[in-house]
Amino acid sequence: MNKSGYNSNSQNLIIKIDALELCYGNIAAVRSCSFSLKKHECLAMIGANGAGKTTLLKGLAGIKNPRKGKVFFKGQNITQTPPHVRSSMGITLVPEGRGIFARLTVKENLLLGGYAKKMSKLELKQNIEKQLNVFPQLKEKMLQLAGTLSGGEQQMLSIARALIGKPELLLLDEPSMGLAPIVTEQIFKVIASIKEEGVSIIIVEQNAALALETADMAIIIESGEITRRAKASELLEDDSVQKAYLGV
Ligand SMILES: Nc1ncnc2c1ncn2[C@@H]1O[C@H](COP(=O)(O)OP(=O)(O)O)[C@@H](O)[C@H]1O
Ligand SMILES: [Mg+2]
């Protein structure tokens, strides 16, 4: 372990990025970003609007190609690996705004969750059943168009769909955005149980306190650069972090 609590032994790492730079045109939205995350751990990414959090998640999912730097997944260089291949390797993004198919039914959306991974019909059915037990609200709405669900139900559908593909690394972009506190609480309970099952998670969340309580490690990103890496518990207690991000 080094000072920031990171184990540099790459065998244990689920993901590692090295001096990553992600641009829109000539503008670098993410600059010289480096971090790593151990298998089975949860990393919270904290930062103001426009800091580059979504862009960084897109870089991990392969939706955004880097101009510089490298991405490693379980020690393998995936910098040039396209998003659908990363998805089949076990990296799944639950995007900001959920990314569900509004004009497909709940059931059809869930079936798509198994698309990237090769799995038998039986396995797919079992995975869907498992998620319906986690999110019983969805069970009664299987034949309803996804676009007619409430915001909370859409977020549940989006997470359920991601989990059906059995990800090893789940990337969650603002899962509580626009949700009532009670729904947010349910979503975070599910996130904690996903972590218990051994899935590695990177979570971007406006509710920084909630994210830091859930996560093991945390990074702070400001104007496209990582300005702090620490244990999540350490940042929760930190005066400057409390003032800037926790509204204390
Ligand atoms: N499609 C895009 N085209 C041009 N600039 C973008 C695009 N998406 C995001 N940006 C810019 O990149 C920066 C980082 O955005 P983003 O990653 O969405 O931040 P965050 O998720 O932290 O709010 C912002 O300055 C934003 O305006
Ligand atoms: Mg964002």
Side-chain angles (χ1 to χ4, degrees), residues 23-84:
C23 302
Y24 298 103
N26 282 326
I27 298 166
V30 165
R31 281 184 309 277
S32 54
C33 275
S34 302
F35 71 78
S36 60
L37 182 67
K38 283 199 263 175
K39 287 175 184 166
H40 315 301
E41 285 198 342
C42 176
L43 175 86
M45 211 186 273
I46 307 295
N49 263 337
K53 306 178 299 295
T54 295
T55 304
L56 191 45
L57 288 187
K58 285 181 177 171
L60 300 180
I63 298 165
K64 187 114 194 74
N65 286 322
R67 182 147 78 187
K68 288 182 194 157
K70 293 190 178 101
V71 183
F72 297 89
F73 180 63
K74 296 196 289 183
Q76 186 182 341
N77 187 339
I78 58 161
T79 313
Q80 303 300 331
T81 306
H84 67 281

Side-chain angles (χ1 to χ4, degrees), residues 97-123:
R98 288 132 205 173
I100 57 160
F101 296 99
R103 299 173 81 165
L104 297 183
T105 64
V106 169
K107 187 178 175 183
E108 287 163 340
N109 270 279
L110 292 174
L111 285 169
L112 284 171
Y115 184 72
K117 280 268 181 78
K118 283 195 184 104
M119 62 175 82
S120 68
K121 273 191 177 164
L122 178 66
E123 196 184 345

